[in-house]
Amino acid sequence: MTNTKFQNDIAIIEAWQAGDSDAFEVLYQKYWRKLYVFARRTTPSAEDAQDLIQDVFTQLLTQKEQIAPTVFSESYLFAMVRNKLLDKIRKQYVREDYAQIIRQTSTDADFSTQQTILTNDLDNHLHQAVNVLPEKCKEVFQLSRFEQLSVEQIAQKLQISPQTVKNQLSKALQVVRFRLREFATLGLFLSTFF
């Protein structure tokens, strides 16, 4: 199938959105190979690259009506492939992390039950300690320790100065450490979390 019927990508997308099934086939034939070559450079196998490109064209089909013909381009497709590659890499890292946790859990089964009980107990005490903090202090602590935001990010989010964030965080840490002193034997927790 040739694409002489269509002058450019805008015409292809407009025709496809208007119901011309040949237009999608033209689009597929025009870009499949280029996208495959691009994906193949960064994927471990030809099969993975093919799956990735298939996902891109499937996404195009499901988002047919949302595609702006004037925005669509070869770069648009390459960006879709890049995003699919990044998603795949992220998912792989998550899978590897979970596999590592499962391996570690299965080898430390006897210790893990005791550790789980201690962790749950400590978690309960930590939340009780945080709940007694003044409201602004509590909010700063939660953003810092639970959401992993930096001092600058917290200052921007709460519209306060970075020094105020540091002061509130220091105050919160003093209170929380004091209230968790019975868990001082868990030095690893205290040193890594605080």
Side-chain angles (χ1 to χ4, degrees):
M1 176 173 300
T2 64
N3 61 3
T4 56
K5 178 178 175 181
F6 305 103
Q7 294 179 348
N8 55 35
D9 286 346
I10 294 173
I12 295 171
I13 298 298
E14 287 174 344
W16 176 43
Q17 289 176 333
D20 186 339
S21 58
D22 289 343
F24 185 76
E25 182 63 28
V26 168
L27 188 69
Y28 185 86
Q29 293 301 326
K30 181 176 180 181
Y31 288 111
W32 186 90
R33 183 80 184 147
K34 289 180 184 179
L35 297 176
Y36 171 78
V37 169
F38 175 68
R40 187 65 185 101
R41 289 184 200 146
T42 53
T43 54
S45 72
E47 187 177 287
D48 286 345
Q50 288 172 355
D51 289 346
L52 197 84
I53 302 310
Q54 206 59 37
D55 288 348
V56 167
F57 281 102
T58 300
Q59 183 177 343
L60 283 175
L61 283 170
T62 60
Q63 296 176 349
K64 172 182 173 181
E65 300 305 321
Q66 288 82 32
I67 299 170
T70 56
V71 173
F72 184 86
S73 66
E74 185 173 305
S75 299
Y76 180 89
L77 288 171
F78 279 105
M80 287 179 72
V81 172
R82 188 195 71 226
N83 290 338
K84 294 279 183 197
L85 282 165
L86 291 173
D87 286 345
K88 184 177 177 67
I89 290 167
R90 279 188 212 109
K91 287 176 186 173
Q92 183 62 34
Y93 279 125
V94 168
R95 264 189 242 115
E96 288 171 6
D97 287 347
Y98 281 130
Q100 178 64 28
I101 290 167
I102 290 168
R103 282 192 297 273
Q104 187 176 8
T105 302
S106 64
T107 58
D108 300 336
D110 293 336
F111 180 68
S112 68
T113 303
Q114 182 182 15
Q115 187 177 15
T116 301
I117 292 168
L118 285 172
T119 302
N120 289 341
D121 194 28
L122 183 57
D123 190 50
N124 289 336
H125 279 76
L126 173 62
H127 285 289
Q128 288 172 7
V130 170
N131 285 333
V132 301
L133 294 171
E135 198 56 41
K136 187 61 78 175
C137 203
K138 176 180 174 180
E139 189 174 12
V140 167
F141 181 83
Q142 289 173 329
L143 290 171
S144 172
R145 294 309 193 253
F146 298 147
E147 295 184 30
Q148 305 297 318
L149 297 182
S150 69
V151 169
E152 290 76 21
Q153 290 170 323
I154 296 169
Q156 286 179 348
K157 184 170 185 163
L158 300 180
Q159 297 180 341
I160 57 178
S161 74
Q163 187 58 49
T164 302
V165 171
K166 290 177 187 176
N167 293 344
Q168 292 290 338
L169 193 53
S170 177
K171 180 179 177 182
L173 289 172
Q174 286 176 344
V175 171
V176 170
R177 283 183 181 136
F178 179 76
R179 294 187 68 88
L180 294 178
R181 66 190 177 279
E182 65 188 79
F183 290 95
T185 55
L186 296 176
L188 174 63
F189 173 82
L190 294 174
S191 64
T192 57
F193 192 73
F194 301 111

